[in-house]
């Protein structure tokens, strides 16, 4: 059939005449399906090739933004997660302020702290905090390092950090202090090589938190949300304990180890409640 544009009312397929409008809609439908399949295929291939779990990457990004929003980290600090399919690797942002981290910034590292595919991106000097803890603790799936202002006084004094209330119940198991000077003399205070990272991991032992003298702290957990939860409430608990000490009314009635263990079990069960709230809190920043 020959016709000028705009005058076609029907299109011939052999002996069958199909209304032009239906034909155009059919073509649009096929095109839409084709475009949809094309858009899905690369995403699926990219995920399979890299092994990165998009949900896990989102947790690292969101966790970084949450801690920045609460002031637990500023331009420094980092969140990492063990690789979901390669346990001898981990995922962490390139060297960047936590509040600015996006999914595109997440990199892969081996447990010696080497970037698997750096592509010219700068990396954190203290990535060995993460690599050596993952080496020492197969149970750990996420690590957070902060320079918590609330915690610092407990890293340089003889007062141990202890659980003030149920949200910080994990502290009932202990929060040892790692002093870089004892093993390495006068330094720049940074965990900039595997030997320092290993020493820090040894002080952490089987605990959830290790304090760093004159530096900050590290929290760990079986997931990014829990490691972030512990980083936040370590900071909050330290501030509350300082307030209680300042009141001066004699001995402080801390949680006992038994109370801490029981309360922490409940915290684990309801973690999603606070995590989803925190995600909502930082959602507007993720669009920037």
């Amino acid at each position: 059939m020959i016709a000028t544009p705009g005058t076609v009312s029907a299109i011939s397929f052999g002996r069958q005449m199909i209304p032009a409008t239906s034909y155009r809609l059919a073509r649009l439908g096929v095109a839409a399906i084709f475009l949809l399949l094309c858009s899905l295929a690369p995403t699926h291939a990219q995920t399979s090739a890299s092994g990165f779990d998009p949900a896990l990457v989102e947790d690292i990004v969101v966790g970084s933004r949450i801690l920045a929003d609460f002031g637990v980290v500023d331009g420094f600090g980092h969140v990492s997660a063990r690789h979901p399919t390669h346990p001898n690797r981990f995922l962490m942002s390139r060297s960047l302020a936590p509040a600015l981290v996006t999914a595109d910034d997440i990199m892969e590292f081996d447990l010696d702290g080497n970037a698997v595919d750096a592509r010219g991106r700068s990396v954190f000097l203290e990535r060995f905090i993460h690599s050596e803890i993952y080496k020492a603790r197969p149970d750990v799936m996420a690590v957070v390092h902060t320079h918590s202002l609330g915690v610092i006084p407990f890293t340089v004094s003889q007062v141990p950090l202890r659980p003030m209330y149920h949200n910080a119940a994990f502290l009932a198991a202990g929060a040892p202090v790692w002093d870089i000077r004892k093993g390495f003399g006068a330094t720049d205070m940074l965990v900039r090589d595997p030997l320092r990272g290993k020493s820090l991991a040894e002080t952490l032992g089987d605990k959830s938190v290790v304090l760093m003298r004159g530096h900050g702290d590290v929290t760990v957990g079986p997931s990014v949300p829990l490691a972030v939860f512990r980083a936040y409430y370590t900071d909050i608990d330290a501030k509350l304990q300082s307030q209680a000490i300042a009141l001066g009314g004699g001995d402080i009635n801390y949680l006992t180890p038994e109370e801490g263990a029981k309360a922490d079990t409940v915290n684990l069960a309801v973690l999603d409640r606070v995590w989803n709230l925190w995600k909502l809190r930082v959602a507007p920043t993720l669009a920037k």
Side-chain angles (χ1 to χ4, degrees), residues 63-77 98-99 144-152 217 228 231-236 239 278 281-282:
S64 300
R65 300 289 185 103
I66 287 169
L67 293 174
D69 190 63
F70 280 124
V72 181
V73 297
D74 47 21
F76 306 98
V144 174
H145 171 49
T146 85
H147 298 162
S148 160
L149 297 181
V151 166
I152 296 296
D217 64 81
V228 170
Y232 173 68
Y233 283 110
T234 294
D235 180 70
I236 294 296
K239 292 173 180 175
W278 289 347
R281 178 185 176 107
V282 301

Side-chain angles (χ1 to χ4, degrees), residues 9-54:
S9 60
I11 296 173
S12 173
F13 279 90
R15 297 179 180 178
Q16 185 177 4
M17 298 296 292
I18 297 177
T21 301
S22 298
Y23 176 71
R24 293 190 191 98
L25 290 175
R27 287 189 65 184
L28 287 172
V30 172
I33 293 172
F34 177 78
L35 290 173
L36 177 62
L37 292 174
C38 287
S39 67
L40 289 176
T43 301
H44 178 74
Q46 182 180 3
T47 301
S48 299
S50 68
F52 290 10
D53 179 351

Side-chain angles (χ1 to χ4, degrees), residues 115-178:
V116 174
D117 182 18
R119 288 181 284 152
R121 293 172 290 181
S122 59
V123 296
F124 287 113
L125 289 175
E126 293 194 297
R127 61 194 182 278
F128 304 104
I129 291 174
H130 304 257
S131 61
E132 292 300 320
I133 288 176
Y134 288 125
K135 274 185 185 178
R137 292 277 300 274
D139 61 305
V140 168
M141 300 302 290
V143 177
V144 174
H145 171 49
T146 85
H147 298 162
S148 160
L149 297 181
V151 166
I152 296 296
F154 293 91
T155 74
V156 296
S157 70
Q158 298 303 309
V159 180
L161 183 63
R162 299 180 62 183
M164 297 290 297
Y165 73 135
H166 64 290
N167 283 355
F170 53 90
L171 292 172
V177 179
W178 178 69

